[in-house]
């Protein structure tokens, strides 16, 4: 059935509860329902928002449209945690209910200020002829998780020379005060990142356009995040419509990273930026949000999904999940990402795996499609690991490795439910040749997150196996592989 604009923007209270319960049940009973990834109770989840540590707990919100697998009237849905793995459902955090956010509480961030948590977000408003207005708004969450919206917008309009495609504010402490980093589009329809400054988080002055590249970033930049790792600035952002000659990517829109040497606030400049890198080299990551956590770590979480694409769970009325929480670091001028160590809390029985790379063999005889796998591949080998495979290995998500030539290819061409094939079925990464490779793989029912060489690369893919596609095979030409396998428990 058609999702009309009227349906997408219908006030939540006008949907009937039986319908909502049906959606919740369909999601719960789905074979693709994940065990330890954050996913919506119903409807569509997109960007992570407000990832923060406040009042003794981790807080995480996400963009939610609860009434179907489409982008409709968005809210922030709230979760909290003590270990970044088990999440408590805190219900809605921010609902669209006033003249500044009537058509959606869009993405933003959170920052503890005094004894409250500041939520900074974009209010989306549609006017006559569906014209767009965008307000940068604030709200205070107190120690009881009670949220009060700040009446006056933090930033009431985009600056002169920019369109209403102005969204996704990130507020960070800087010097004696604060910076706000936001995605923008100028009147020539070029994507930009703007930076504001404030002494008090409510009165903001524009510093200017962030200078981080001489290349065109396409028509819009979404979800910019400025972080500091080893005192170096790191910009994580989503350029839309960027030429592939600027930096190669294959997803509909990429989630990119730039690392600089230093940040020059007077000139609003990332000094000596390295070339753009894909944040994740798999098929399905966008809108990653990261922050400098008070324990010294830099943590991120992404949307395992992409704008404008269809996924098989759409027919069940729900869509998407978040990635695992990752810890970021810089090594050899690359951004490294690994799932936070807290994920070890999910491990159940450990099985060591090993063998000679030859004809196809089971790494473990059968799986629940809910496991962590560590594999060490020898330096001079070629072969394939098959995840979510059927017994005959006809259908699978394949990872082809060639350590001799330093190549890994993630290949979804043989999955039983093909996915967005116009964006290609393979993703390739290049590694040092003739070097042993370490893989850490997290499988969870309909997602696979693969980390290469302690986080040098991450490849995240949704996959939608059919009944019986639970096997895990390895094959290759020569050498010994070793590793460990853990069944993982469900998170709460
Ligand atoms: C990115 C995005 C953001 C926006 C939000 C709306 O996926 O388009 O720019 O704030 O989603 O849900």
């Amino acid at each position: 059935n058609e999702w009309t604009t009227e349906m997408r923007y219908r006030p939540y209270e006008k949907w009937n509860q039986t319908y909502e319960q049906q959606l919740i049940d369909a999601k719960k009973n789905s074979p693709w329902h994940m065990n330890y990834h954050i996913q919506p109770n119903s409807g569509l989840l997109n960007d992570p928002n407000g990832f923060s540590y406040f009042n003794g707990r981790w807080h995480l919100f996400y963009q939610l449209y609860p009434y179907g697998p489409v982008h409709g009237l968005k809210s922030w849905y709230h979760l909290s945690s003590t270990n970044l793995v088990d999440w408590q459902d805190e219900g809605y955090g921010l609902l669209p209910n006033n003249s500044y956010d009537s058509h959606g509480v869009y993405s933003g961030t959170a920052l503890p200020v005094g004894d409250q948590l500041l939520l900074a977000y974009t209010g989306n408003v549609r006017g006559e002829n569906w014209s767009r207005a965008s307000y940068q708004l604030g709200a205070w969450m107190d120690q009881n998780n009670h949220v009060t919206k700040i009446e006056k917008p933090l930033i009431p309009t985009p600056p002169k020379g920019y369109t209403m495609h102005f969204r996704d504010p990130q507020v960070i402490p800087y010097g004696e005060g604060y910076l706000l980093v936001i995605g923008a589009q100028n009147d020539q329809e070029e994507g930009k990142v703007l930076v504001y400054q404030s002494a008090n988080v409510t009165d903001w002055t524009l510093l200017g356009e962030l200078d981080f590249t001489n290349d065109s970033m396409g028509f819009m930049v979404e979800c910019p995040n400025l972080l500091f790792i080893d005192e170096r600035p790191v910009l994580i952002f989503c350029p839309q419509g960027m030429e592939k000659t600027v930096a190669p990517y294959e997803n509909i829109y990429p989630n990119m990273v730039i690392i600089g040497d230093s940040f020059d606030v007077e000139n609003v400049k990332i000094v000596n930026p390295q070339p753009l890198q894909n944040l994740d080299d798999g098929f399905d990551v966008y809108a990653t949000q990261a922050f400098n956590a008070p324990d010294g770590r830099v943590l991120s979480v992404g949307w395992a999904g992409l704008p404008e694409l269809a996924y098989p769970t759409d027919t069940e009325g729900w869509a998407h999940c978040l990635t695992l929480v990752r810890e970021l670091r810089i090594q050899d001028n690359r951004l490294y990402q690994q799932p936070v160590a807290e994920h070890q809390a999910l491990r159940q029985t450990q099985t060591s795996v090993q063998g000679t790379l030859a004809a196809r063999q089971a790494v473990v005889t059968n799986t629940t499609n809910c496991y962590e796998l560590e594999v060490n591949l020898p330096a001079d080998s070629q072969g394939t690991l098959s995840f979510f495979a059927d017994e005959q290995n006809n259908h699978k998500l394949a990872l082809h490795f060639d350590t001799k030539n330093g190549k890994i290819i993630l290949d979804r061409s043989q999955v039983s439910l093909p996915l967005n094939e116009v964006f290609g079925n393979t993703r390739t990464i290049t590694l040092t040749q003739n070097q042993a490779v370490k893989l850490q793989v997290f499988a969870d029912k309909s997602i696979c997150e693969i980390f290469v060489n302690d986080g040098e690369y991450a490849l995240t893919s949704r996959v939608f196996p059919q009944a019986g596609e639970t096997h895990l095979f390895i094959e290759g030409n020569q050498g010994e592989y070793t590793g460990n396998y853990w069944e993982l428990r469900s998170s709460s």
Side-chain angles (χ1 to χ4, degrees):
N1 45 348
E2 243 331 81
W3 275 88
T4 61
T5 303
E6 184 283 316
M7 288 162 78
R8 286 174 199 247
Y9 290 88
R10 189 178 292 169
Y12 289 2
E13 61 274 10
K14 297 233 165 99
W15 288 96
N16 83 49
Q17 286 188 356
T18 323
Y19 169 71
E20 186 173 4
Q21 195 55 49
Q22 282 166 358
L23 282 179
I24 294 170
D25 293 342
K27 154 71 209 343
K28 226 181 242 163
N29 298 327
S30 167
W32 297 314
H33 169 149
M34 287 146 278
N35 283 356
Y36 60 91
H37 279 77
I38 293 170
Q39 58 207 305
N41 295 327
S42 68
L44 179 143
L45 163 158
N46 57 306
D47 313 357
N49 296 153
F51 190 19
S52 53
Y53 186 82
F54 168 68
N55 197 21
R57 298 179 73 83
W58 302 101
H59 292 268
L60 179 56
F61 303 77
Y62 56 79
Q63 285 283 286
L64 176 69
Y65 176 65
Y67 296 102
V70 295
H71 291 272
L73 185 58
K74 297 284 174 71
S75 292
W76 281 29
Y77 202 81
H78 183 193
L79 304 171
S80 76
S81 172
T82 54
N83 66 0
L84 296 167
V85 172
D86 297 296
W87 294 93
Q88 187 171 307
D89 189 325
E90 303 282 0
Y92 285 97
L94 284 168
L95 285 160
N97 56 14
N98 67 37
S99 58
Y100 290 120
D101 62 19
S102 56
H103 292 72
V105 173
Y106 276 11
S107 287
T109 54
L111 183 73
V113 177
D115 60 358
Q116 301 198 86
L117 186 69
L118 174 76
L119 312 181
Y121 66 101
T122 298
N124 180 53
V125 174
R126 296 293 194 161
E128 248 170 67
N129 304 318
W130 210 239
S131 66
R132 183 192 292 268
S134 170
Y135 303 95
Q136 310 319 314
L137 307 173
W140 292 109
M141 189 175 91
D142 70 15
Q143 313 250 337
N144 301 315
N145 292 351
H146 184 257
V147 176
T148 310
K149 289 183 178 175
I150 299 170
E151 231 161 83
K152 219 173 96 216
L154 305 180
I155 303 175
T157 59
K160 203 167 164 287
Y162 296 86
T163 75
M164 283 297 180
H165 285 284
F166 183 58
R167 57 180 171 268
D168 311 337
Q170 179 210 22
V171 176
I172 55 169
Y174 191 81
E176 307 280 280
Y178 303 91
L179 296 179
L180 183 152
V181 177
I182 185 165
Q185 180 188 62
N186 68 17
D187 287 345
Q188 291 72 49
E189 298 195 3
E190 296 168 317
K192 298 290 173 189
V193 174
L194 299 185
V195 181
Y196 288 72
Q197 194 164 36
S198 173
N200 60 9
V201 305
T202 42
D203 303 300
W204 293 94
T205 314
L206 179 64
L207 288 183
E209 259 178 29
L210 180 64
D211 177 357
F212 63 98
T213 178
N214 294 323
D215 290 314
S216 165
M217 293 293 104
F219 61 82
M220 175 63 188
V221 172
E222 293 189 319
C223 303
N225 286 235
L226 180 63
L227 316 155
F228 290 89
I229 306 183
D230 306 332
E231 277 152 65
R232 298 177 67 181
V234 175
L235 183 72
I236 295 179
F237 62 110
C238 299
Q240 297 192 309
M242 188 181 82
E243 292 291 342
K244 292 183 173 137
T245 47
V246 173
Y249 66 91
E250 292 174 86
N251 293 347
I252 182 167
Y253 303 122
N255 202 166
M256 287 282 174
V257 186
I258 277 191
I259 302 174
D261 282 346
S262 59
F263 181 61
D264 172 356
V265 73
E266 269 81 63
N267 296 300
V268 206
K269 184 179 167 68
I270 292 182
V271 178
N272 198 15
Q274 298 289 318
L276 274 77
Q277 299 165 16
N278 279 296
L279 182 74
D280 188 290
D281 285 274
F283 296 95
D284 300 289
V285 168
Y286 195 73
T288 295
Q289 183 164 108
F291 78 113
N292 284 85
D295 61 10
R297 291 187 293 182
V298 183
L299 303 178
S300 79
V301 57
W303 172 26
L306 286 164
E308 298 165 34
L309 302 185
Y311 287 79
T313 56
D314 292 353
T315 57
E316 300 175 338
W318 66 287
H320 311 306
C321 65
L322 298 183
T323 67
L324 300 178
V325 173
R326 300 172 180 185
E327 182 175 352
L328 309 183
R329 66 179 204 278
I330 297 175
Q331 191 176 318
D332 305 326
N333 277 325
R334 265 196 76 78
L335 188 76
Y336 273 58
Q337 309 167 64
Q338 273 186 295
V340 290
E342 283 93 329
H343 287 106
Q344 290 172 13
L346 294 173
R347 289 177 179 173
Q348 304 298 293
T349 47
Q350 176 172 353
T351 315
S352 69
V353 299
Q354 64 186 68
T356 304
L357 288 168
R360 172 163 61 90
Q361 58 189 279
V363 180
V364 291
T365 36
N366 205 349
T367 83
T368 52
N369 279 347
C370 184
Y371 57 83
E372 178 186 344
L373 173 71
E374 257 176 27
V375 196
N376 305 298
L377 300 167
D380 183 12
S381 64
Q382 291 159 335
T384 300
L385 264 158
S386 300
F387 307 104
F388 302 96
D390 62 302
E391 216 169 344
Q392 286 73 40
N393 202 31
N394 292 328
H395 292 297
K396 66 196 123 183
L397 175 68
L399 183 139
H400 308 298
F401 55 89
D402 178 350
T403 57
K404 188 177 163 59
N405 295 301
K407 282 246 169 313
I408 283 181
I409 301 175
L410 185 63
D411 176 358
R412 62 177 181 184
S413 64
Q414 292 169 89
V415 296
S416 47
L417 284 184
L419 215 57
N420 300 306
E421 288 188 293
V422 290
F423 298 99
N425 271 332
T426 59
R427 295 290 184 269
T428 302
I429 58 171
T430 305
L431 303 165
T432 312
Q433 299 181 354
N434 296 304
Q435 227 175 59
V437 167
K438 179 175 165 192
L439 301 175
Q440 188 185 16
V441 181
F442 285 84
D444 187 8
K445 301 294 183 188
S446 60
I447 188 169
C448 194
E449 295 187 53
I450 300 168
F451 299 87
V452 181
N453 291 341
D454 298 314
E456 183 181 359
Y457 289 90
L459 301 112
T460 300
S461 280
R462 294 304 303 280
V463 50
F464 297 90
Q466 308 281 42
E469 294 176 355
T470 51
H471 296 271
L472 173 52
F473 296 120
I474 194 165
E475 62 192 88
N477 62 343
Q478 59 173 326
E480 304 292 314
Y481 71 91
T482 60
N484 285 296
Y485 170 92
W486 296 267
E487 301 254 317
L488 299 183
R489 68 161 167 87
S490 298
S491 63
S492 56

